[in-house]
Amino acid sequence: MLGDLLPFVVAGIVSGSLYGLAGLGLVLTYRTSGVFNFGYGAIAAAAAFAFYTLHDSHGLAWPLAALIVVVGFAVVVGPLLELVTRILVGAPDALVIVATVGILLGLEGYLYKQYGDSTIAFPQFLPTSGFTVSGVQITWAQVISTGVAVVGAVGINIFLRTTRSGVSMRAVVDNPRLVRLGGERPERIRLLGWALGAGAAAISGILLAPVLNLDVNLLTLLVVQALGACAIGLFRSLPLTFVGGLAVGVSAALATKWITRPPLNGLPAAMPFVILVVVLLVVRRSQLPESRASLAGLIAPVRSGLSRAANTAVAAVGAAVLVIVPWVVGTKLPVWIAAMGYFVLFASLSLLVWGSGQISLCHAAFVGLGATTLGHLTHAGVPWPVALVLSGLLTMPAGALVAIPAIRLSGIYLALATLGFGIVMQDIVFGSFLMFGSNAEVTASRPSFGFISQSDRSLYYVALAVAVLCAAAVIVIYRSRFGRFLRAMAETPLMLRSQGLSVNMTRLCVVCLSAFLAGISGGLLITQVGTVSGVTFGSVQSLLYVVVLGICGTRLIRSPVIAALLLGVLPGYAHINLDTQTLTFGIVAIAAALIQARRDALSVAIGRLAATSDRRQPPVRRAGPAPRLRTRREVEVKT
Amino acid sequence: MSDGLRISDLTVAYGGNVVVSKLSLAAATGEITGLIGPNGAGKTTIFNVCSGLVRPRSGSVRLLGRDVTRTSPARRAQLGLGRSFQRIELCTAMTVRENVEIGLEARQAGLNPLRHFGMARGSRASVATRVSDAIERCGLSASADHVVATLPTGRRRLVELARVLASDFSMLLLDEPSSGLDDAETAVFADILTSTVADLGTGILLVEHDMSLVMKVCQQIHVIDFGTLIFSGTPAQVQKSEAVRAAYLGAESVEAVS
């Protein structure tokens, strides 16, 4: 019995040590810079592809190729990430998430473009001969890669404990200001952290590639495995993170042996996230390193900022344009119907992110749940309007589940927990009869009642009506007492509690509302396409949604409108391929987040530029640092 | 003068570090009770236990005769316990009026999800009156429509006071409400406190470092040091007490004087 298990344990330790090394780099950079890098796995993937190019395409010996890639990533990618961090200092979590998810998407898009979508076979470059220990075949490749990972992990630990820079790095984790006062430069220390982190990512990417083959998606989601490791180390302890990596590797390997039947056969892949979600739900919040600034500075204003007349004019022109769309766009009408679905989707996300300061990286799962529910219901003969409302309502329980982490956590940890929830949904629930089932596809019929026929034109007007209703609902909710609670909660939930409000109920309500709208948008999207499969609602889609919304600013309604045009309408006209689109969104997201994070300083700079060009005088030297979004802690210091 | 807040045999520990031990004290409604003591004596901890943010190791908290030791912060507020914070908790992006309003609305909404979305019929007018009353009482009428972010700290303290006053609590915990106020503002502040208690019958438990303010407004004062009660009495008795002087100045210096 035990003998049967040993091969799985060995395989688990080999991959687990690499997850541990990756997790170690992730924790190290998170703690020194305060930036949680969602693009970490993509960096590892890029390293693996670079190694492949050097070793397989250009025939470089593997030790040389590996050295070039690892050192190259440490000295090139490290400083780039430090540059991003420098701009993001003090910015709220939402912007950090948008920027680093932008890195993920940008790199992923680039790799897909460069190397194609198919998995490239990546032969083991280390010696595959080996020896047998109590009946288990162990290859030298396994020994070497585990050895490298252990040496790397131990080396980083010794470096942090004994060297001068290592001690400074630990000090930066606790208090960068104090380090600066002590005469060190936190920026330099952060740079070192990023370089080490990028190096660790590169090593684990290269060594994992032969195990996973060169699949962009798989390697990118290395960050997932690393997350499980980080969770066990409570995002704090480096040795425990490494142990956590081993635990993730071994438990996933054992799960592949024991759990082979659907729907739970998705569990091994989701194992790190099961661990992550469990840890985040069990651990007390005070045991996790403090998250960054609150979202307060980004919360959407209630009023549009336009005068009443201007508002009416915009609404009238908008309405007129939307009504005549079917008569103008010809065969492109389906694109516009989809845009209505996307609008509701982004409105749901916007209410959550810009309205209440929460974040969800599992929105695609909600949308998928809504879509499949509508499909099943219309299939069972339920009239379409009833099915649409039900698809919203039945998505709410999933929202209520997500409300549990939303109540306990905020910022980056909420983002991670929801990302985990989305992946667990995708790996386990998508395959069940509730969603896509064994067919892996769901079809839906179109509304047809009264004067509404099944034509595109009819469907467009139905979708438009639904979208307008949803927009109105969001506006009314945001202006009501509930909206005031949401805005206050983003800044000071403590005050609301001390005044007698059960903020947990408020959080539950907003997440359920958002899930309801997401379910509705799923219903609209499946009605337009007709047939959908689970791939459409993968967890990377959730990331894309947040990034696109982040690109479009922080307004409650305006941003979803622009986002729907960007993700729904634009691809229908521009004929860009998916990879280019992902790459572009990634790059634009990084830029948008950085601009948002520095918008005060930018407007000052632009104002100064305008003033100087008017007067043709040399620019006035400004005293003191540029104003920016203040972090909560700084506000605290000031008061 | 009825029983407002009563703490019995309270022990609080952070990890193995006992910060409050076997402490009992009471604050009545209809009067102002002072809670003073040197830095680190455990005053804010006691407040946090009273409002439910910190769980005590043992002991009980009774509010208006009801045991609330195990209830949530929100529930205690529902039962009539309001508080201000040493580190001001306001929505800086909202106006003064909105801040006062949202406090009252939060108290009305409580746990009821329906009340989250709207008010009961007819309560809109009464909310508006209570909000204006509180704003006026705190002398904030002129800045009622200013955004809090534009106000100096002294005014913000008053906004917090207006918020808890508007919410119709029977017992208030005020944590260093006068820090950051200048002398003139402090004098106004003292008047607001005494007139509020006289007019509304609210009970106030006041943590404060400004001794002249404490001596002026309090009817009863509890002095704590190292988490234990060392003296209770009227302002005059406290000023005479050897034990209090020893706690503030150190035992040696008191001996040296005597």
Side-chain angles (χ1 to χ4, degrees), chain A residues 569 581 603:
Chain A
V569 176
Q581 187 191 323
S603 63

Side-chain angles (χ1 to χ4, degrees), chain A residues 30 36-38 92-98 100-101 224 227 235 273 276-277 280 285 288 291 295 349 352-353 357-363 402 405-423 539 542-543 546:
Chain A
Y30 172 48
F36 195 93
N37 187 2
F38 281 88
D93 281 326
L95 291 183
V96 175
I97 293 168
V98 169
T100 59
V101 171
V224 167
L227 277 174
F235 298 89
F273 265 118
L276 173 74
V277 171
L280 287 178
R285 191 175 167 179
L288 300 169
S291 191
L295 257 175
L349 201 55
L352 198 65
V353 180
Q358 321 257 6
I359 199 151
S360 152
L361 294 184
C362 61
H363 243 59
V402 169
I407 282 169
R408 289 179 48 95
L409 308 162
S410 62
I412 219 83
Y413 301 112
L414 177 59
L416 292 175
T418 52
L419 180 63
F421 179 80
I423 291 192
S539 40
S542 301
L543 299 178
V546 170

Side-chain angles (χ1 to χ4, degrees), chain A residues 481 491-492 499-500 632, chain B residues 78 87 89 92 105 108 167:
Chain A
R481 168 185 274 195
E491 189 167 351
T492 159
Q499 288 288 133
R632 183 122 195 182
Chain B
Q78 291 296 328
R87 212 200 73 198
E89 294 282 344
T92 48
E105 287 188 306
Q108 287 178 347
S167 311

Side-chain angles (χ1 to χ4, degrees), chain A residues 296 477 480-485 487-489 491-503 505-506 509 513 630 632 635-636 638-639, chain B residues 53 73-74 77-78 81 83 85 87 89-94 102-103 105-111 113 115-119 163-164 167 169:
Chain A
I477 287 170
S480 73
R481 168 185 274 195
F482 185 68
R484 283 196 290 280
F485 287 159
R487 292 193 292 284
M489 198 170 65
E491 189 167 351
T492 159
L494 183 60
M495 181 276 281
L496 289 175
R497 275 165 83 202
S498 78
Q499 288 288 133
L501 185 77
S502 164
V503 287
M505 181 57 79
T506 317
C509 286
L513 266 174
R630 269 176 304 166
R632 183 122 195 182
V635 174
E636 201 176 306
K638 276 196 84 160
T639 49
Chain B
L53 298 175
Q78 291 296 328
L81 182 73
R83 75 168 290 181
F85 293 87
R87 212 200 73 198
E89 294 282 344
L90 288 172
C91 308
T92 48
M94 294 187 184
I102 204 168
E105 287 188 306
R107 178 133 196 250
Q108 287 178 347
L111 204 100
R115 285 281 185 92
H116 269 68
F117 291 91
M119 333 194 165
R163 186 188 71 221
V164 290
S167 311
F169 292 115

Side-chain angles (χ1 to χ4, degrees), chain B residues 167-181:
Chain B
S167 311
D168 198 22
F169 292 115
S170 14
M171 193 72 216
L172 292 181
L173 308 175
L174 302 182
D175 200 347
E176 299 201 17
S178 84
S179 69
L181 302 193

Side-chain angles (χ1 to χ4, degrees), chain A residues 169-303:
Chain A
M169 201 178 279
R170 279 158 59 209
V172 166
V173 172
D174 283 335
N175 193 340
R177 277 173 188 222
L178 203 59
V179 170
R180 192 192 298 277
L181 286 176
E184 262 306 352
R185 281 164 51 201
E187 294 83 4
R188 256 189 35 205
I189 298 163
R190 270 200 324 246
L191 176 61
L192 190 59
W194 280 120
L196 279 175
I203 294 176
S204 45
I206 293 170
L207 291 175
L208 270 174
V211 185
L212 301 174
N213 282 326
L214 277 179
D215 177 329
V216 177
N217 213 355
L218 260 181
L219 281 167
T220 302
L221 289 181
L222 164 68
V223 75
V224 167
Q225 320 287 345
L227 277 174
C230 297
I232 290 179
L234 294 181
F235 298 89
R236 192 187 283 275
S237 153
L238 295 181
L240 270 184
T241 302
F242 190 76
V243 173
L246 290 177
V248 168
V250 172
S251 60
L254 289 180
T256 39
K257 174 169 168 55
W258 279 322
I259 308 170
T260 46
R261 246 179 268 148
L264 285 179
N265 60 349
L267 195 63
M271 194 53 104
F273 265 118
V274 174
I275 293 174
L276 173 74
V277 171
V278 168
V279 167
L280 287 178
L281 288 184
V282 170
V283 163
R284 259 179 298 141
R285 191 175 167 179
S286 54
Q287 288 174 300
L288 300 169
E290 201 181 320
S291 191
R292 295 157 61 89
S294 77
L295 257 175
L298 284 182
I299 288 298
V302 197
R303 305 283 159 193

